[in-house]
Amino acid sequence: MASSVNNSLPCPSCIILAISPANQDIATSDAIKLAREVDPTGERIFEVLTKLDLMDKGTNALDVLEGRAYRLQHPWVGIVNRSQADINKNVDMIAARQKEREYFESSPDYGHLASKMGSEYLAKLLLQHLEVVIRQCKPSIIALINKTIDEINAELDQIGRSIGDDSVAQLYTILEMCRAFEHVFKEHLDGGRRGGDRIYGVFDHRLPAALKKLPFDRHLSTRNVQKVVSEADGYQPHLIAPEQGYRRLFDGSISFFKGPAEASVDAVPFILKELVRKSIAETEELKRFPTLQSDIAAAANDALERFREKGQRTVLRVVDMESSYLTVEFFRKLHLEPEKNLNQQDPNAPNQDRYSDNHFRRIGSNASAYIGMVCDTLRNSIPKAVVYCQIRSAKRSLLNNFYAQVGRKEKERLGAMLDENPQLMER
């Protein structure tokens, strides 16, 4: 280390080599001062005294070298470097070391310390200390190396390891990426991650709200009931119960359910497509393959559209089934109060019109009660149909078509799908 010591040493295990000239006052040595600031205990400080051959005649540095003037944990080492004249004469280091040994061995002041002086002894002393430090630091160094290896392996696992050039390895990698994405996607649907609860909101809030807005009050009003029943009777009014009128009222009313049913089906793919986007972004393994991300997103969205079409057909069938076969038991339980009252009326009272507003109100009330029952049924069956056709299909076979297409691709096409992110490739 240079004669001045930087007080921001990066490693606490560094050896501090503080070099001071012998022809200056040791008490004012910057090297010692800075070394003490870095290592107050002095455990890592090795003091070197130079320019012993340049001291004034009659003086020496024995008090320093023998530790009386300035005591350290490690002994002082005196050295004699090449002079400027030696450097000018191109005296090599071997000759300089020999000259240094002769100086200490022949010196009347330092002869008794010759075995512990000089550059060669300093190198030996530092080497011995370095061996001690290495033995002490070896466990922590090994632990640091192992920790670094684990961290690098973890990062490598995260960004992905290298992929083989053969088509089997490429196909295996693509399938692994797809499975990782599907796992995240299913976690969103099953509640392990946020987002799947929005689907329940369609069934629990949007569908009931849409059903409440259906215009049954208008369709089953007394005036419209009279109009529908009269048109169904034709030229001959009904005798007891307007069978055809009832059926027309039910067909017209039940057809209103198709709107909320289709709206429920259409609302779900928007949520599922958003979950696909989030799942791709949250799948760590996929981040290195932007092309594969796009391919998976396109395949998943295409599948969701197919599931939506299947859901549309299914919910419309569910609604049509309600109008294709009416629940007979419901009508058998109806009490025909108006007819009983008509049979019990005072024979002396004026003849009452069998087709009065009260009669049509009764028909409208019966039809409304039946439509209410159908509404309760569809409120439960529409979500079941949506879940069966869309949610369950998305969980089970979202990428089935994609798998079939990938299996038929050639090696070059598979390699193009695994086109990696440039930043990750560089990393």
mmCIF file of all heavy atoms in Angstrom, residues 155-156 158-160 286-291 293 418-427:
data_model
loop_
_atom_site.group_PDB
_atom_site.id
_atom_site.type_symbol
_atom_site.label_atom_id
_atom_site.label_comp_id
_atom_site.label_asym_id
_atom_site.label_seq_id
_atom_site.Cartn_x
_atom_site.Cartn_y
_atom_site.Cartn_z
ATOM 1 N N GLU A 155 -31.503 -16.615 -9.576
ATOM 2 C CA GLU A 155 -31.791 -15.664 -10.651
ATOM 3 C C GLU A 155 -31.860 -16.384 -11.996
ATOM 4 O O GLU A 155 -32.717 -16.090 -12.824
ATOM 5 C CB GLU A 155 -30.717 -14.580 -10.696
ATOM 6 C CG GLU A 155 -30.976 -13.522 -11.759
ATOM 7 C CD GLU A 155 -29.873 -12.494 -11.853
ATOM 8 O OE1 GLU A 155 -28.850 -12.659 -11.167
ATOM 9 O OE2 GLU A 155 -30.039 -11.534 -12.631
ATOM 10 N N LEU A 156 -30.967 -17.343 -12.189
ATOM 11 C CA LEU A 156 -30.965 -18.107 -13.434
ATOM 12 C C LEU A 156 -32.247 -18.914 -13.576
ATOM 13 O O LEU A 156 -32.812 -19.022 -14.669
ATOM 14 C CB LEU A 156 -29.745 -19.027 -13.472
ATOM 15 C CG LEU A 156 -29.470 -19.741 -14.800
ATOM 16 C CD1 LEU A 156 -29.295 -18.730 -15.927
ATOM 17 C CD2 LEU A 156 -28.223 -20.604 -14.681
ATOM 18 N N GLN A 158 -35.038 -18.043 -12.324
ATOM 19 C CA GLN A 158 -36.115 -17.074 -12.542
ATOM 20 C C GLN A 158 -36.147 -16.611 -13.996
ATOM 21 O O GLN A 158 -37.214 -16.565 -14.623
ATOM 22 C CB GLN A 158 -35.940 -15.867 -11.621
ATOM 23 C CG GLN A 158 -37.040 -14.824 -11.773
ATOM 24 C CD GLN A 158 -36.855 -13.666 -10.804
ATOM 25 O OE1 GLN A 158 -35.928 -13.656 -10.017
ATOM 26 N NE2 GLN A 158 -37.724 -12.694 -10.864
ATOM 27 N N ILE A 159 -34.998 -16.245 -14.537
ATOM 28 C CA ILE A 159 -34.992 -15.739 -15.916
ATOM 29 C C ILE A 159 -34.933 -16.873 -16.919
ATOM 30 O O ILE A 159 -35.197 -16.652 -18.109
ATOM 31 C CB ILE A 159 -33.818 -14.773 -16.145
ATOM 32 C CG1 ILE A 159 -32.475 -15.493 -16.013
ATOM 33 C CG2 ILE A 159 -33.885 -13.601 -15.206
ATOM 34 C CD1 ILE A 159 -31.279 -14.607 -16.294
ATOM 35 N N GLY A 160 -34.627 -18.094 -16.435
ATOM 36 C CA GLY A 160 -34.663 -19.251 -17.319
ATOM 37 C C GLY A 160 -33.291 -19.692 -17.780
ATOM 38 O O GLY A 160 -32.419 -18.873 -18.087
ATOM 39 N N LEU A 286 -42.495 -16.801 -18.260
ATOM 40 C CA LEU A 286 -42.833 -16.318 -19.599
ATOM 41 C C LEU A 286 -42.179 -14.985 -19.944
ATOM 42 O O LEU A 286 -42.189 -14.579 -21.116
ATOM 43 C CB LEU A 286 -44.355 -16.167 -19.730
ATOM 44 C CG LEU A 286 -45.139 -17.357 -20.279
ATOM 45 C CD1 LEU A 286 -46.628 -17.070 -20.250
ATOM 46 C CD2 LEU A 286 -44.704 -17.695 -21.693
ATOM 47 N N LYS A 287 -41.627 -14.295 -18.972
ATOM 48 C CA LYS A 287 -41.133 -12.946 -19.206
ATOM 49 C C LYS A 287 -39.980 -12.901 -20.208
ATOM 50 O O LYS A 287 -39.743 -11.878 -20.832
ATOM 51 C CB LYS A 287 -40.704 -12.310 -17.884
ATOM 52 C CG LYS A 287 -41.878 -11.999 -16.969
ATOM 53 C CD LYS A 287 -41.446 -11.297 -15.705
ATOM 54 C CE LYS A 287 -42.663 -10.944 -14.849
ATOM 55 N NZ LYS A 287 -42.276 -10.259 -13.587
ATOM 56 N N ARG A 288 -39.282 -14.000 -20.370
ATOM 57 C CA ARG A 288 -38.145 -14.016 -21.290
ATOM 58 C C ARG A 288 -38.563 -14.296 -22.726
ATOM 59 O O ARG A 288 -37.729 -14.260 -23.629
ATOM 60 C CB ARG A 288 -37.129 -15.059 -20.828
ATOM 61 C CG ARG A 288 -37.665 -16.488 -20.803
ATOM 62 C CD ARG A 288 -36.702 -17.441 -20.158
ATOM 63 N NE ARG A 288 -35.514 -17.684 -20.959
ATOM 64 C CZ ARG A 288 -34.803 -18.810 -20.907
ATOM 65 N NH1 ARG A 288 -35.165 -19.780 -20.083
ATOM 66 N NH2 ARG A 288 -33.741 -18.951 -21.650
ATOM 67 N N PHE A 289 -39.854 -14.611 -22.961
ATOM 68 C CA PHE A 289 -40.299 -14.993 -24.300
ATOM 69 C C PHE A 289 -41.470 -14.111 -24.745
ATOM 70 O O PHE A 289 -42.631 -14.513 -24.645
ATOM 71 C CB PHE A 289 -40.727 -16.459 -24.325
ATOM 72 C CG PHE A 289 -39.663 -17.421 -23.887
ATOM 73 C CD1 PHE A 289 -39.853 -18.218 -22.772
ATOM 74 C CD2 PHE A 289 -38.472 -17.518 -24.582
ATOM 75 C CE1 PHE A 289 -38.892 -19.107 -22.360
ATOM 76 C CE2 PHE A 289 -37.488 -18.410 -24.177
ATOM 77 C CZ PHE A 289 -37.689 -19.202 -23.067
ATOM 78 N N PRO A 290 -41.214 -12.903 -25.221
ATOM 79 C CA PRO A 290 -42.328 -12.005 -25.619
ATOM 80 C C PRO A 290 -43.166 -12.575 -26.763
ATOM 81 O O PRO A 290 -44.377 -12.384 -26.791
ATOM 82 C CB PRO A 290 -41.598 -10.716 -26.044
ATOM 83 C CG PRO A 290 -40.180 -11.120 -26.298
ATOM 84 C CD PRO A 290 -39.903 -12.265 -25.375
ATOM 85 N N THR A 291 -42.537 -13.274 -27.703
ATOM 86 C CA THR A 291 -43.305 -13.848 -28.812
ATOM 87 C C THR A 291 -44.242 -14.928 -28.313
ATOM 88 O O THR A 291 -45.421 -14.990 -28.718
ATOM 89 C CB THR A 291 -42.350 -14.429 -29.868
ATOM 90 O OG1 THR A 291 -41.498 -13.390 -30.353
ATOM 91 C CG2 THR A 291 -43.136 -15.032 -31.024
ATOM 92 N N GLN A 293 -45.469 -15.133 -25.341
ATOM 93 C CA GLN A 293 -46.536 -14.447 -24.600
ATOM 94 C C GLN A 293 -47.670 -14.049 -25.539
ATOM 95 O O GLN A 293 -48.849 -14.276 -25.237
ATOM 96 C CB GLN A 293 -45.976 -13.194 -23.915
ATOM 97 C CG GLN A 293 -45.039 -13.456 -22.762
ATOM 98 C CD GLN A 293 -44.579 -12.174 -22.108
ATOM 99 O OE1 GLN A 293 -45.315 -11.201 -22.037
ATOM 100 N NE2 GLN A 293 -43.354 -12.161 -21.637
ATOM 101 N N LEU A 418 -39.780 -19.045 -29.339
ATOM 102 C CA LEU A 418 -38.933 -18.878 -28.155
ATOM 103 C C LEU A 418 -37.931 -17.752 -28.348
ATOM 104 O O LEU A 418 -36.836 -17.771 -27.777
ATOM 105 C CB LEU A 418 -38.198 -20.200 -27.852
ATOM 106 C CG LEU A 418 -39.105 -21.360 -27.442
ATOM 107 C CD1 LEU A 418 -38.297 -22.634 -27.292
ATOM 108 C CD2 LEU A 418 -39.850 -21.048 -26.153
ATOM 109 N N ASP A 419 -38.302 -16.778 -29.135
ATOM 110 C CA ASP A 419 -37.471 -15.590 -29.329
ATOM 111 C C ASP A 419 -37.432 -14.813 -28.020
ATOM 112 O O ASP A 419 -38.452 -14.288 -27.564
ATOM 113 C CB ASP A 419 -38.057 -14.735 -30.454
ATOM 114 C CG ASP A 419 -37.196 -13.526 -30.741
ATOM 115 O OD1 ASP A 419 -36.001 -13.568 -30.425
ATOM 116 O OD2 ASP A 419 -37.730 -12.528 -31.268
ATOM 117 N N GLU A 420 -36.243 -14.714 -27.424
ATOM 118 C CA GLU A 420 -36.158 -14.190 -26.057
ATOM 119 C C GLU A 420 -36.064 -12.672 -26.026
ATOM 120 O O GLU A 420 -35.676 -12.021 -27.000
ATOM 121 C CB GLU A 420 -34.942 -14.781 -25.337
ATOM 122 C CG GLU A 420 -35.035 -16.276 -25.131
ATOM 123 C CD GLU A 420 -33.956 -16.772 -24.191
ATOM 124 O OE1 GLU A 420 -33.835 -16.236 -23.082
ATOM 125 O OE2 GLU A 420 -33.242 -17.714 -24.555
ATOM 126 N N ASN A 421 -36.382 -12.142 -24.852
ATOM 127 C CA ASN A 421 -36.223 -10.719 -24.584
ATOM 128 C C ASN A 421 -34.740 -10.361 -24.669
ATOM 129 O O ASN A 421 -33.908 -10.979 -24.009
ATOM 130 C CB ASN A 421 -36.767 -10.400 -23.181
ATOM 131 C CG ASN A 421 -36.728 -8.926 -22.878
ATOM 132 O OD1 ASN A 421 -35.677 -8.316 -22.903
ATOM 133 N ND2 ASN A 421 -37.876 -8.357 -22.536
ATOM 134 N N PRO A 422 -34.353 -9.352 -25.481
ATOM 135 C CA PRO A 422 -32.917 -9.024 -25.645
ATOM 136 C C PRO A 422 -32.220 -8.699 -24.338
ATOM 137 O O PRO A 422 -31.073 -9.082 -24.126
ATOM 138 C CB PRO A 422 -32.956 -7.811 -26.579
ATOM 139 C CG PRO A 422 -34.263 -7.922 -27.310
ATOM 140 C CD PRO A 422 -35.206 -8.537 -26.337
ATOM 141 N N GLN A 423 -32.886 -7.975 -23.432
ATOM 142 C CA GLN A 423 -32.267 -7.641 -22.161
ATOM 143 C C GLN A 423 -31.978 -8.871 -21.330
ATOM 144 O O GLN A 423 -30.916 -8.988 -20.699
ATOM 145 C CB GLN A 423 -33.158 -6.665 -21.364
ATOM 146 C CG GLN A 423 -33.227 -5.257 -21.918
ATOM 147 C CD GLN A 423 -34.126 -5.135 -23.112
ATOM 148 O OE1 GLN A 423 -34.959 -6.017 -23.375
ATOM 149 N NE2 GLN A 423 -33.981 -4.051 -23.876
ATOM 150 N N LEU A 424 -32.917 -9.821 -21.330
ATOM 151 C CA LEU A 424 -32.698 -11.045 -20.570
ATOM 152 C C LEU A 424 -31.626 -11.904 -21.214
ATOM 153 O O LEU A 424 -30.844 -12.567 -20.513
ATOM 154 C CB LEU A 424 -33.999 -11.834 -20.456
ATOM 155 C CG LEU A 424 -35.043 -11.260 -19.492
ATOM 156 C CD1 LEU A 424 -36.283 -12.136 -19.494
ATOM 157 C CD2 LEU A 424 -34.473 -11.160 -18.087
ATOM 158 N N MET A 425 -31.573 -11.927 -22.551
ATOM 159 C CA MET A 425 -30.525 -12.677 -23.219
ATOM 160 C C MET A 425 -29.156 -12.120 -22.842
ATOM 161 O O MET A 425 -28.206 -12.869 -22.592
ATOM 162 C CB MET A 425 -30.728 -12.620 -24.734
ATOM 163 C CG MET A 425 -31.923 -13.405 -25.238
ATOM 164 S SD MET A 425 -32.090 -13.294 -27.041
ATOM 165 C CE MET A 425 -30.601 -14.149 -27.556
ATOM 166 N N GLU A 426 -29.049 -10.797 -22.795
ATOM 167 C CA GLU A 426 -27.783 -10.173 -22.414
ATOM 168 C C GLU A 426 -27.416 -10.504 -20.980
ATOM 169 O O GLU A 426 -26.255 -10.776 -20.656
ATOM 170 C CB GLU A 426 -27.869 -8.664 -22.600
ATOM 171 C CG GLU A 426 -26.590 -7.926 -22.262
ATOM 172 C CD GLU A 426 -26.699 -6.416 -22.478
ATOM 173 O OE1 GLU A 426 -27.770 -5.975 -22.968
ATOM 174 O OE2 GLU A 426 -25.748 -5.721 -22.151
ATOM 175 N N ARG A 427 -28.432 -10.490 -20.104
ATOM 176 C CA ARG A 427 -28.186 -10.831 -18.698
ATOM 177 C C ARG A 427 -27.687 -12.254 -18.570
ATOM 178 O O ARG A 427 -26.780 -12.551 -17.767
ATOM 179 C CB ARG A 427 -29.486 -10.635 -17.894
ATOM 180 C CG ARG A 427 -29.391 -11.026 -16.412
ATOM 181 C CD ARG A 427 -28.332 -10.247 -15.698
ATOM 182 N NE ARG A 427 -28.255 -10.625 -14.288
ATOM 183 C CZ ARG A 427 -27.203 -10.379 -13.500
ATOM 184 N NH1 ARG A 427 -26.144 -9.771 -14.000
ATOM 185 N NH2 ARG A 427 -27.199 -10.751 -12.258
#
